[in-house]
Amino acid sequence: MRTSQLLIPTLRQTPGEADVVSHRLMLRAGMIRKTAAGIYTYLPLGLRVLKKIEGIVRREMERAGAQELLMPILAPAQLWRETGRWDFYGKELLRCRDRHDREFCFGPTHEEVITDLFRREVRSYRQLPLNCYQIQTKFRDEIRPRFGLMRGREFLMKDAYSFDADEAGARVSYQKMYTAYERIFTRCGLAFRAVEAHTGLIGGSLSHEFMVLSDTGEETIVYDEHTDYAANIEQAETTPPADTDDAAPLPLEPVRTPGAHTVRDVCALLNTTPDRLVKTLLYQTPARDVVAVLIRGDHDANTIKLARCLGVADVTLAGADAVLKATSAPVGFAGPVGLAGIRLVADHAVKAMRNFIVGGNEQDLHLRHANHGRDFSVEAFADLRQARAGDPSPASGSRLREAKGIEVGHVFLLGTKYSEAMRATFLDANGQERAAVMGCYGIGVSRTAAAAIEQHHDDRGIVWPVPIAPFHAHLLPVTASEQTLHTAGMMYEALTEAGVEVLWDDRDERAGVKLNDADLIGAPLQILVGDKGLARGVVEVKRRDTGAITELPPNEILPHLRNLLATHDLP
RNA sequence: CGGGGCGUGGCGCAGCCCGGUAGCGCGCCUGCUUUGGGAGCAGGAUGUCGGAGGUUCAAAUCCUCUCGCCCCGACCA
């Protein structure tokens, strides 16, 4: 296509709203423009990239046996009430009413709608397994949209839903999607890692996230260098210390700790280290009950694990007044000894400790040489802390490492959560009615575009991987002579005819402007046509990634381009 | 929702503290010269200073309210 006929409003300066690389470059390259907070218009260049990613996703979905359909963007409240998510999903679910005052929501995900379709249309096990997907705009009313397309409110997503007759079949479907995702992100040219994940608002029993590795990622993952083990840090299991401290119990001893309400303060005052302390954290459940959890001083609590252990939907850190009420002390002095009337659980690292320091449930008081079993008892020891780099890997025991990632895909084995709630059943071979076993599988298409830029850029602009580049080649006449323009025109026709996606910069601009825009836009190859080269009968093919230039006669360029575009050493 | 910050021409910003009727760079338009990494000269256009109210002889500037946006946090897939 010709630049003069496309809306590609490149910017020299970065608009003030953009902070992260992908956001900045997408604005500057004229790919997107903001319409409202977290809501963007895709300009021609941006849309071409989305279409490229969609194409890869479609091919791999079809290969894995999924079929495409398209569900509505609005869903009736009634369906969401059936699964309880109308209330449970919270403010992220954008709701509206029609002229008859009927309630609807903008679909943030489509389990309800697809399950409704399934229960209406599928009767027999003979129709299973079934896997349907769509590529559609989703809306989630995020608390804080940010980073451009990385966390928008409106975004493009591929979501797939599988229905199987039994758990074993569902696991096969899950594995097929997992494999398809690996192929998709590999084909997009991304360095990624599949990690064990928690299931959040979607629910289910087994889940993996596909993380594009990038320092700007919002997620932290831990991984084992020596095995396949990798997990979202929120999900990663921790193992209890191998050795139990076998010191003889010493008598419990109160110690004054004026003003020391943090682990650090107490350690400084008592000349010890955080791993000799046990902090008592108070949380509130949705039912407003206060619960206490014991965590070693150098560890952090994991609220997802805690909520799971307590059997509640979620927990939030208790406020100062709730702490005062439960412990009769200000924040910073809570302890398990003599703490009555509330549930008390402990991280399994605490089980191995002896003679540790705890809060005294009184202002400016701590207790030394506390021991569980003797001075207090807990309801349960469990994995309740956040994993961190250096922890032993659950797979090999070697030390876990940490990395940042951008979640671009997420697969869930749902089980029968939705099919039971919505009575999505079928008759099995014995004529028995059974609930379908489901899985669901999402890919953030627009987020993938942003993640690709985070991973593939330099200080001049975007460096697109070939499969998702908006154009393969950028044709740049760098002089204004008749000869140059004529040659460029001929090459444009010939290359386009041959199926190469060429963006022809036919603007009346200086070479510098064109070259800078080309670097910004980031097509993998640039074709420079100018008087200098033509005097020797050649044009130049320049790789965007390495800057390497090859000189060739115009009529020999096609095979060279094809070769470059096909090789994997391009980004 | 808590904390911080910002709304001044298409973009980036100054001016605000200390009120006197708006300026710079880039871009845009015209002409001439230039033309292989964001040209030079000359001329020109573009601003309800986010909105409403108030104080004042006078408000971009001070006060109140309001809308929008960005960053950090809480939150989330």
Side-chain angles (χ1 to χ4, degrees):
Chain A
M1 302 191 80
R2 298 175 180 216
T3 304
S4 62
Q5 292 167 6
L6 279 179
L7 182 63
I8 309 178
T10 55
L11 301 172
R12 290 192 183 189
Q13 284 159 315
T14 302
E17 70 195 57
D19 210 36
V20 299
V21 168
S22 59
H23 190 196
R24 231 167 34 218
L25 290 177
M26 277 196 261
L27 285 170
R28 286 195 54 212
M31 294 175 63
I32 60 168
R33 284 294 183 265
K34 187 175 64 184
T35 301
I39 299 176
Y40 290 85
T41 294
Y42 300 102
L43 276 52
L45 224 42
L47 184 61
R48 286 183 71 95
V49 173
L50 293 186
K51 295 283 180 198
K52 287 286 182 77
I53 297 170
E54 282 182 26
I56 292 169
V57 168
R58 282 201 173 87
R59 283 198 294 276
E60 294 299 334
M61 283 292 113
E62 306 284 335
R63 184 200 299 270
Q67 53 192 299
E68 186 168 11
L69 46 63
L70 185 59
M71 289 181 265
I73 201 157
L74 283 179
Q78 183 195 344
L79 286 181
W80 279 69
R81 289 210 163 94
E82 283 190 52
T83 57
R85 288 209 295 182
W86 184 261
D87 297 317
F88 195 63
Y89 214 91
K91 287 192 181 170
E92 218 172 288
L93 188 64
L94 183 66
R95 298 147 214 255
C96 62
R97 291 169 187 270
D98 68 8
R99 60 164 64 191
H100 302 295
D101 217 30
R102 289 182 291 233
E103 293 180 291
F104 288 84
C105 63
F106 288 82
T109 175
H110 280 69
E111 285 79 11
E112 282 80 0
V113 177
I114 193 79
T115 307
D116 180 54
L117 178 75
F118 179 92
R119 70 182 167 185
R120 289 166 189 272
E121 309 303 335
V122 177
R123 301 270 173 278
S124 162
Y125 73 97
R126 293 175 193 275
Q127 294 167 278
L128 301 180
L130 180 68
N131 189 336
C132 298
Y133 76 97
Q134 64 173 346
I135 296 177
Q136 194 218 33
T137 296
K138 292 279 189 284
F139 197 96
R140 295 181 187 174
D141 203 356
E142 293 281 347
I143 293 173
R144 183 151 90 85
R146 57 188 133 175
F147 306 148
L149 294 193
M150 289 241 276
R151 181 168 294 270
R153 293 192 291 170
E154 187 182 290
F155 57 98
L156 191 63
M157 181 171 170
K158 185 285 302 177
D159 45 325
Y161 305 88
S162 67
F163 298 85
D164 278 272
D166 54 31
E167 169 91 15
R171 284 183 180 273
V172 172
S173 294
Y174 184 91
Q175 187 54 47
K176 278 186 183 168
M177 286 293 110
Y178 186 105
T179 305
Y181 276 35
E182 289 184 313
R183 294 180 59 96
I184 287 166
F185 295 121
T186 300
R187 288 186 59 182
C188 286
L190 298 170
F192 67 96
R193 182 122 196 192
V195 307
E196 292 178 11
H198 70 98
T199 55
L201 285 176
I202 304 288
S205 53
L206 174 63
S207 173
H208 287 87
E209 289 167 326
F210 287 77
M211 297 284 195
V212 167
L213 303 176
S214 162
D215 288 339
T216 52
E218 293 186 81
E219 303 290 336
T220 304
I221 66 173
V222 289
Y223 62 96
D224 179 344
E225 283 179 293
H226 306 294
T227 72
D228 285 343
Y229 181 81
N232 190 308
I233 196 160
E234 297 173 326
Q235 170 74 14
E237 303 160 43
T238 66
T239 45
D243 302 320
T244 295
D245 185 346
D246 54 4
L250 297 170
L252 192 64
E253 174 193 330
V255 49
R256 302 308 302 183
T257 49
H261 54 262
T262 65
V263 168
R264 178 191 288 231
D265 295 340
V266 175
C267 287
L269 202 65
L270 301 182
N271 193 26
T272 184
T273 51
D275 61 348
R276 301 293 312 145
L277 249 75
V278 169
K279 53 190 174 187
T280 305
L281 302 169
L282 299 179
Y283 286 89
Q284 246 167 357
T285 67
R288 316 293 296 161
D289 293 328
V290 173
V291 298
V293 57
L294 303 181
I295 302 286
R296 203 170 82 187
D298 59 326
H299 289 156
D300 291 319
N302 178 313
T303 54
I304 294 162
K305 292 176 181 176
L306 178 60
R308 201 182 292 150
C309 170
L310 293 168
V312 298
D314 71 316
V315 293
T316 50
L317 210 51
D321 44 344
V323 171
L324 188 62
K325 199 173 161 203
T327 68
S328 57
V331 174
F333 301 97
V337 182
L339 194 63
I342 64 174
R343 294 179 71 183
L344 178 63
V345 293
D347 178 64
H348 52 203
V350 173
K351 193 173 186 180
M353 298 171 70
R354 294 286 179 274
N355 299 325
F356 44 86
I357 295 161
V358 296
N361 292 328
E362 183 185 323
Q363 178 149 13
D364 301 337
L365 185 74
H366 280 78
L367 303 175
R368 233 199 282 254
H369 309 320
N371 285 286
H372 52 79
R374 183 191 70 180
D375 304 316
F376 63 92
S377 55
V378 301
E379 180 182 319
F381 286 101
D383 175 12
L384 297 175
R385 74 171 173 94
Q386 184 93 332
R388 61 184 184 188
D391 281 350
S393 160
S396 69
S398 66
R399 290 180 177 280
L400 290 174
R401 298 171 65 98
E402 241 176 71
K404 288 287 182 185
I406 301 164
E407 180 197 351
V408 289
H410 202 157
V411 295
F412 298 83
L413 188 62
L414 292 173
T416 54
K417 171 178 172 173
Y418 294 90
S419 51
E420 277 179 10
M422 297 182 69
R423 300 184 51 77
T425 59
F426 64 94
L427 292 183
D428 70 12
N430 301 316
Q432 292 290 310
E433 188 177 47
R434 297 175 61 168
V437 184
M438 294 173 59
C440 73
Y441 318 93
I443 288 180
V445 175
S446 41
R447 185 184 278 182
T448 299
I453 294 172
E454 292 292 337
Q455 225 169 48
H456 298 288
H457 69 273
D458 61 21
D459 55 0
R460 305 194 57 79
I462 304 170
V463 186
W464 287 112
V466 171
I468 62 174
F471 288 93
H472 295 143
H474 207 150
L475 179 60
L476 304 162
V478 291
T479 52
S481 68
E482 191 63 32
Q483 181 194 26
T484 295
L485 297 179
H486 178 73
T487 306
M490 299 283 287
M491 289 179 63
Y492 174 73
E493 296 298 337
L495 292 172
T496 301
E497 188 64 28
V500 180
E501 296 171 13
V502 182
L503 177 61
W504 174 20
D505 195 340
D506 60 340
R507 295 175 301 172
D508 181 20
E509 288 285 358
R510 337 192 96 231
V513 172
K514 294 183 184 180
L515 291 164
N516 277 297
D517 273 355
D519 287 346
L520 181 59
I521 289 166
L525 298 172
Q526 296 173 1
I527 304 167
L528 279 61
V529 186
D531 291 343
K532 272 192 222 162
L534 291 180
R536 290 182 291 119
V538 299
V539 297
E540 294 152 48
V541 176
K542 180 175 176 183
R543 290 174 56 139
R544 175 65 182 87
D545 58 344
T546 61
I549 292 174
T550 309
E551 295 191 336
L552 286 168
N555 61 357
E556 288 175 24
I557 214 166
L558 182 60
H560 181 66
L561 290 189
R562 284 195 166 137
N563 190 33
L564 281 178
L565 291 170
T567 53
H568 290 289
D569 56 8
L570 271 173

